[in-house]
Amino acid sequence: MADSTSQSQETLSNLLHETRSFPPPADLAENANVKAEAYDRAAEDRLGFWEEQARRLTWERPWDTVLEWEPPFAKWFSGGKINASVNCLDRHVEAGLGERVAYYWEGEPGDTRTITYAELKDMVCQAANAMTELGVRKGDRVAIYMPMIPETVVAMLACSRIGAVHMVVFGGFSVDALGQRLDDSQAKLVVTADGGYRRGKPSALKPAVDSAVAERPFVENVLVVRRTGQDVEWNDRDVWWHDAVGSQSTEHTPEAHDAEDPLYIMYTSGTTAKPKGILHTTGGYLTQVAYTHWAVFDLKPETDVYWCAADIGWVTGHSYIVYGPLANAATSVMYEGTPDTPHRGRFWEIIQKYKVTIAYMAPTAIRTFMKWGDDVPAQFDLSSLRILGSVGEPINPEAYVWYRKNIGGDRTPVVDTWWQTETGAIMVSPLPGVTAGKPGAAMRAVPGVTADVVDEEGKPVPDGGGGFIVIRDPWPAMLRGIWGDEQRYKDTYWSRFEGLYFPGDGAKKDADGDMWLLGRVDDVMLVSGHNISTTEVESALVSHPRVAEAAVVGATDKVTGQAIVGFIILRGGEEEVPDDLLQELRNHVGTSLGPIAKPARLLAVPELPKTRSGKIMRRLLRDIAENRAVGDTSTLTDSSIMEVIAKQLPSVKPGD
Ligand code: 6R9
């Protein structure tokens, strides 16, 4: 991980200058759930602050100790007993909110389901009873390989209810990726569906499970939801969801679990080969996801309709489709399919239909919508929206401003939320009623979290400097380790800087001390002795009207160490960059960031290789830029992309 950082003593250059800023609307500021005083209060008594947030939940038994910290191992709320599914369901029903809608679910073909808190609780109790009957016990791992349907949430909550550890694998992953995760977690049950709808047609899931499970006798049962009605091959260990779950009682007495009992494992691939099983536990995780969902989105559960457009197979779906919103008794929208089915206005149609007030999505989606044109969202009534969120990557200023203007009617704050699978919950983000947001900046650590930007030696950089983001103190939703690999946990996150958590991202502080996240340090380029972030060069490229999307990598170069190679999607979809445009784009980057950041080569491509969360896999693009065989593509949303891009190679244009 530290390879590219140790190449140079230089810290990350601070190239981009962005001066726009958007103060919160007055009424939002006045009625905000969280006001400026929260920062001071949390700073004065961080542990007391988190205790106060933990009290927003219902505990079967209060904790004895807020935090036990034996670096790098944390225990939050030790002695406390809590059940996550009770906090997400039972307590709301008991409080008289049973009729409140938990999810407005929208299937891709247009079928819909409205599920109240009372109904969801019944479904979860049935599933908990079914899993118990299938022999699943507390501590057992359950794999969930599903489309975006309500049963996915039900399966997760049923696990949390009985204390089984869920491990959701993104439905787009290959058999190999699924198999590797089954091996590592030794899941005894797999929950899947015949298929789900994507791009207007049924997309099978069960065949991948069949192949993965065939060689893995430790998987005792496969529980199959019927979603598409596709033909499925049936094996001895397969059980239909509607038989096994549908026949159960809707009563289930939950057990109170220890605050530190495992809740789930979520695999994250990072840049190396073997995915890391990130382990999250119960009490601290739930405390921070519930608090941040309420604070960062200023959630008013009685009136808001909240929509997180992420996939449940991504940590964002876990924390901000399932646990955060449900713990807060929010009403959410959940959408099964793709944004362009059956037309490119599908997202805006959903917002109009359900009068969504808070929407949360990834910059990659926002850039795609920009590419499709302003006239698409303009056809829909988006006036219900009051807050917009972004997650997954740095949001470039162009995309931020487009989002605010074309989706938010120039009225809604945009919260750029920085966090990771490992952090479990939002760590750095504006607060919509407090912060004057700057396009492209995640701004400040949320109350109760202590983030900083440090140099190579771990010393804080002054305002205006660049370096690495670190977290100084343990936080409630932090990962508790890597499943089965304690040493790797220490090495990956706690060895770079003494006593500090190292997320692996570059960052800078601006003149006001606000934070700008610059992507993975493994992606940072070293050009003629300067560390340059891919994010800034990409932002500069997409600020040119001809460029819809850009991915930049450093390719080995005899003269400069690394040369900047840009892969760009042109707005007109052209497959070559004409010479005059190439020059123009290089100059455009030179003007925005300085001559050092001018790309040496630019290559027009029809698509970019992305993960489920829309992150560009620069490692694969580096392979292409350095004429190597392309590495592991098993976690791409679409693995054929690399062939398409490789075919474009002849159009590589050398720079001057
Ligand atoms: C939630 C999630 C984590 C990595 C993280 C960083 C990047 C996420 C970001 C952001 C800049 C933001 N990232 N949000 N970079 N600004 N607002 O994305 O988790 O899939 O584990 O990825 O994503 O590089 O380290 P995960």
Side-chain angles (χ1 to χ4, degrees), residues 268 314-316 360 390-395 416-422 428 442 503-505 517-520 612-613 615:
T268 175
W314 178 22
V315 71
T316 303
Y360 191 31
S390 166
V391 56
E393 287 171 281
I395 180 166
D416 171 18
T417 64
W418 177 90
W419 58 293
Q420 310 179 293
T421 304
E422 292 88 339
V428 181
D505 280 15
L517 275 303
L518 296 174
R520 310 295 302 165
R612 71 203 140 151
S613 58
K615 291 183 190 27

Side-chain angles (χ1 to χ4, degrees), residues 37 100 236 333 598:
E37 59 77 38
R100 179 177 294 173
D236 286 348
V333 168
K598 280 189 183 180

Side-chain angles (χ1 to χ4, degrees), residues 303-327:
T303 46
D304 275 319
V305 178
Y306 161 85
W307 181 25
C308 169
D311 193 280
I312 287 196
W314 178 22
V315 71
T316 303
H318 282 46
S319 299
Y320 298 106
I321 296 178
V322 183
Y323 289 107
L326 291 177

Side-chain angles (χ1 to χ4, degrees), residues 147-384:
M148 287 277 290
I149 57 175
E151 284 75 8
T152 311
V153 179
V154 172
M156 290 165 72
L157 291 173
C159 289
S160 76
R161 197 169 184 91
I162 61 179
V165 184
H166 59 72
M167 191 277 283
V168 180
V169 180
F170 176 53
F173 280 0
S174 62
V175 176
D176 287 350
L178 173 62
Q180 200 174 25
R181 286 156 179 75
L182 289 173
D183 285 339
D184 195 68
S185 65
Q186 295 287 303
K188 83 196 267 196
L189 175 70
V190 179
V191 185
T192 189
D194 47 1
Y197 287 92
R198 283 200 82 74
R199 306 220 141 75
K201 45 180 197 298
S203 162
L205 284 169
K206 181 145 188 305
V209 175
D210 291 342
S211 314
V213 160
E215 306 143 27
R216 294 182 170 86
F218 58 84
V219 176
E220 291 170 15
N221 289 105
V222 178
L223 191 53
V224 190
V225 177
R226 188 183 277 151
R227 162 66 183 134
T228 57
Q230 285 161 288
D231 285 339
V232 289
E233 223 175 82
W234 208 248
N235 304 303
D236 286 348
R237 55 185 150 191
D238 297 345
V239 188
W240 280 114
W241 176 282
H242 51 259
D243 293 335
V245 177
S247 57
Q248 300 290 337
S249 155
T250 55
E251 299 295 319
H252 176 272
T253 308
E255 185 189 332
H257 302 297
D258 285 339
E260 283 295 343
D261 277 345
L263 181 62
Y264 69 81
I265 304 168
M266 165 105 256
Y267 284 87
T268 175
S269 46
T271 43
T272 51
K274 189 172 180 279
K276 303 187 280 278
I278 303 301
L279 175 66
H280 284 292
T281 58
T282 311
Y285 173 81
L286 208 59
T287 298
Q288 195 178 340
V289 294
Y291 171 68
T292 50
H293 180 253
W294 177 79
V296 170
F297 298 107
D298 188 43
L299 179 83
K300 306 285 195 274
E302 301 79 21
T303 46
D304 275 319
V305 178
Y306 161 85
W307 181 25
C308 169
D311 193 280
I312 287 196
W314 178 22
V315 71
T316 303
H318 282 46
S319 299
Y320 298 106
I321 296 178
V322 183
Y323 289 107
L326 291 177
N328 288 328
T331 294
S332 296
V333 168
M334 180 173 169
Y335 173 55
E336 177 184 33
T338 43
D340 52 353
T341 307
H343 58 79
R344 290 178 164 183
R346 186 70 190 268
F347 268 34
W348 322 127
E349 188 178 64
I350 290 174
I351 289 177
Q352 171 179 283
K353 176 173 174 186
Y354 296 104
K355 299 195 168 49
V356 171
T357 58
I358 305 167
Y360 191 31
M361 58 190 78
T364 179
I366 299 164
R367 284 192 293 271
T368 303
F369 298 135
M370 284 175 77
K371 185 166 65 180
W372 291 345
D374 305 0
D375 52 321
V376 181
Q379 291 157 32
F380 298 90
D381 177 4
L382 305 177
S383 61
S384 54

